[in-house]
Amino acid sequence: MTRRSIARWVTGVLVIASFTGTACAQIKIGVLMPLSGKGAAYGQHQQVALQMALEDIAKAGGIKGEKVEALAFDTRGDNTEAINLTRKLAYNDKVLAIVGPFFSAEVEVAFPIALAARVPIITASAAKPGIAAKARPYGFRNALASDQMDGQLVDAWLKEHPKVKSVVILTDVKDALTKADGTFVFPAALKARDIKILDNISFQTGDIDYAAQVTRAKDLRPDGIVVAANYNEGGNVLREIRKQGLTQPVLGALGMSEPKFIEIAGPAAEGVMGVMPFWPGRPDPRTAAFVKEFTKRAKISQPNNTDALMYDTLFLLKHCIEKSGVTNKPADLAADRDRIRGCIDNVEAFPGVVGPITFDKQGDAMLKPQVMRVDKGAWNALR
C-alpha cells in the first residue's frame, strides 16, 4: 500500500488528496477568501495558510483516512459574491462546513444563508462585534472581535504615550469593521479613559487622496491620532500624516495588522501600535514551525493573525469531523453538519498555532489579544 499526495488548483478548487492506493470518499470543505479586489493581500496570504494546512492534513493520512477536497472560491470582497458562493457551497456542492468569508460585511450577509441551510460556517478573520451571535447556532468566529481587543490596545498605547489627552480619529466608513471601530469601539474605549475626541474624520475604502482629511486633523492639533482602516487605506493615510509633518503617536485598527500595511506605509509605519490574537514570536514549537514555513512560502516577513487562524480552523474541522461521529455519507449530510456544529460549540482549549481555542455561547473564539508595535519594519509584540 503506497501513499502519495497531490495539490492543485482546478477552476477555483484547491484539491489536496491523500491516496492509499484504493478508492476513497471525499471530505468536502468550502472556503471563501478575497483573492482579488478589495483586500486581496489578506486572501492571498490565507491561501498560503490553507495550502499548508491541507498538505499537513494529507501527510497525516487525510481526515478519517479520506481525501480532503477544499472548494476554495474568490469572493473579491464583494457581498453579493459572498452570498452566491455560500449558497452554492451549502446547496450545490453539499460541503460539510464552510470557512470564511473574510470581511465583516460579507459575514453579515453570508452567515444567514448558512444558518438557513444548517451548515456550520466559521470566519477566520471578521472582527465586527456581534456578527457570529446573529447566526447561532451554526455561525462561528475563530477570531477576536475588535471590542475584545481594542480596550487593551488603548491602555497599552496610553501607557506608552502618557501625554496623550486628546485625539482625532480617521475612519474608513465604507468598511463594516473599520466603521464600527472608528465610530463606536474606539470612541467608547477612549471616552472611558477620559481622552477627548476632537473630531472623527471620515474617508472611504478605495480613496487615494487623504490630504484634506489629514490637513483637517492637523489644524486640530491633537495629542494622538487613531486610524480605523484596513491595510491599504491605513498605509496611505500614515504616509500622508507623516508627509504633512505630524509626529503624534498613531494607534491603528486591527485591519492594519498586516505586513502589507508596513510595505505601503514604509517608514511612516514605525511606532504605530495595533493588536491581534496572534503573535508570530509565540514561544511554542508548533507556532515557530508554522511561521518558518509560511514566511518561506509567502516571501513576507511574518504571517498575519488571519493566516494562523485559517490554518487552525482547518485543523479544528479535522478534529471535529473525526471526533463527532461524522459518516460522510450523502444520506447523513444534515446529521453530519449538526455533529460538526455541536463539536465546535463544545471544544475546549483546542491546540492551535495561535494558542488554545475555545468558543463562547456567542460563537466567538476566546483568544488572548497581543498588543503589537511596528519596530524596524515589522510587527513586534509589545513587552
Side-chain angles (χ1 to χ4, degrees), residues 35 58 67 87 97 101 122 184 187 239 244 329 367:
L35 298 172
K67 183 176 74 172
R87 186 175 288 116
I122 315 173
F184 172 70
R239 290 175 60 186
Q244 291 199 27
K329 295 177 180 178
L367 306 170

Side-chain angles (χ1 to χ4, degrees), residues 267-296:
E270 286 296 305
V272 172
M273 289 177 60
V275 65
M276 61 185 83
F278 172 63
W279 174 33
R282 179 173 174 260
D284 179 271
R286 191 159 175 259
T287 302
F290 168 79
V291 172
K292 181 179 179 180
E293 180 64 18
F294 183 92
T295 54
K296 181 176 72 173

Side-chain angles (χ1 to χ4, degrees), residues 341-368:
R341 175 206 60 76
C343 174
I344 299 171
D345 260 334
N346 293 290
V347 72
E348 292 187 8
F350 178 80
V353 296
V354 302
I357 301 170
T358 301
F359 291 85
D360 63 20
K361 292 181 180 180
Q362 284 71 50
D364 289 332
M366 295 183 285
L367 306 170
K368 183 180 179 181

Side-chain angles (χ1 to χ4, degrees), residues 243-307:
K243 177 183 177 182
Q244 291 199 27
L246 281 76
T247 59
Q248 291 94 327
V250 174
L251 183 66
L254 176 65
M256 293 159 58
S257 60
E258 161 78 24
K260 192 72 174 179
F261 160 73
I262 300 174
E263 179 184 325
I264 293 170
E270 286 296 305
V272 172
M273 289 177 60
V275 65
M276 61 185 83
F278 172 63
W279 174 33
R282 179 173 174 260
D284 179 271
R286 191 159 175 259
T287 302
F290 168 79
V291 172
K292 181 179 179 180
E293 180 64 18
F294 183 92
T295 54
K296 181 176 72 173
R297 294 189 184 208
K299 295 180 174 57
I300 58 175
S301 60
Q302 58 191 176
N304 178 267
N305 78 97
T306 60
D307 307 324

Side-chain angles (χ1 to χ4, degrees), residues 29-32 86 89-90 95-100 114 119-123 317:
I29 298 170
V31 184
L32 300 176
T86 301
L89 289 168
V95 297
L96 288 171
I98 300 172
V99 180
V119 56
I121 185 166
I122 315 173
T123 177
L317 288 176

Side-chain angles (χ1 to χ4, degrees), residues 2-262:
T2 60
R3 176 179 286 126
R4 61 189 179 86
S5 298
I6 61 170
R8 66 183 186 275
W9 282 94
V10 184
T11 62
V13 179
L14 177 59
V15 181
I16 303 290
S18 178
F19 293 104
T20 58
T22 58
C24 59
Q26 295 181 355
I27 298 287
K28 292 199 295 186
I29 298 170
V31 184
L32 300 176
M33 301 177 289
L35 298 172
S36 62
K38 171 187 172 182
Y42 291 128
Q44 290 162 7
H45 291 163
Q46 275 200 327
Q47 181 181 349
V48 174
L50 172 65
Q51 178 98 28
M52 286 173 56
L54 292 173
E55 287 180 10
D56 288 346
I57 289 171
K59 290 174 185 176
I63 297 179
K64 298 180 66 176
E66 297 181 357
K67 183 176 74 172
V68 180
E69 186 178 35
L71 281 66
F73 293 100
D74 177 15
T75 68
R76 306 195 307 273
D78 180 78
N79 291 0
T80 300
E81 195 73 0
I83 291 171
N84 293 337
L85 288 171
T86 301
R87 186 175 288 116
K88 170 181 166 30
L89 289 168
Y91 293 106
N92 296 351
D93 297 320
K94 301 185 186 303
V95 297
L96 288 171
I98 300 172
V99 180
F102 189 95
F103 294 105
S104 295
E106 294 178 294
V107 168
E108 287 182 308
V109 296
F111 269 34
I113 304 297
L115 176 61
R118 300 175 69 85
V119 56
I121 185 166
I122 315 173
T123 177
S125 54
K128 183 178 178 181
I131 53 176
K134 295 177 181 178
R136 300 294 291 138
Y138 285 87
F140 297 90
R141 183 211 321 258
N142 189 19
L144 281 177
S146 58
D147 62 349
Q148 296 173 301
M149 297 185 285
D150 287 349
Q152 180 175 322
L153 172 60
V154 170
D155 284 337
W157 187 60
L158 294 176
K159 183 178 180 181
E160 288 289 305
H161 305 286
K163 293 183 179 180
V164 172
K165 304 298 179 185
S166 66
V167 301
V168 167
I169 303 176
L170 294 163
T171 303
D172 181 345
V173 295
K174 189 173 182 179
D175 179 81
L177 170 61
T178 59
K179 182 178 180 180
D181 274 352
T183 61
F184 172 70
V185 180
F186 276 129
L190 291 162
K191 289 175 182 177
R193 292 154 179 82
D194 296 321
I195 303 301
K196 185 176 182 181
I197 300 172
L198 302 176
D199 200 357
N200 200 317
I201 302 169
S202 65
F203 58 92
Q204 292 193 10
T205 304
D207 285 351
I208 57 174
D209 186 354
Y210 304 92
Q213 289 93 336
V214 174
T215 298
R216 183 172 161 187
K218 184 177 181 178
D219 290 344
L220 293 170
R221 299 183 180 181
D223 299 324
I225 300 172
V226 177
V227 180
N230 288 316
Y231 69 83
N232 186 64
E233 290 74 20
N236 285 306
V237 167
L238 258 295
R239 290 175 60 186
E240 184 64 32
I241 286 172
R242 299 313 186 205
K243 177 183 177 182
Q244 291 199 27
L246 281 76
T247 59
Q248 291 94 327
V250 174
L251 183 66
L254 176 65
M256 293 159 58
S257 60
E258 161 78 24
K260 192 72 174 179
F261 160 73
I262 300 174

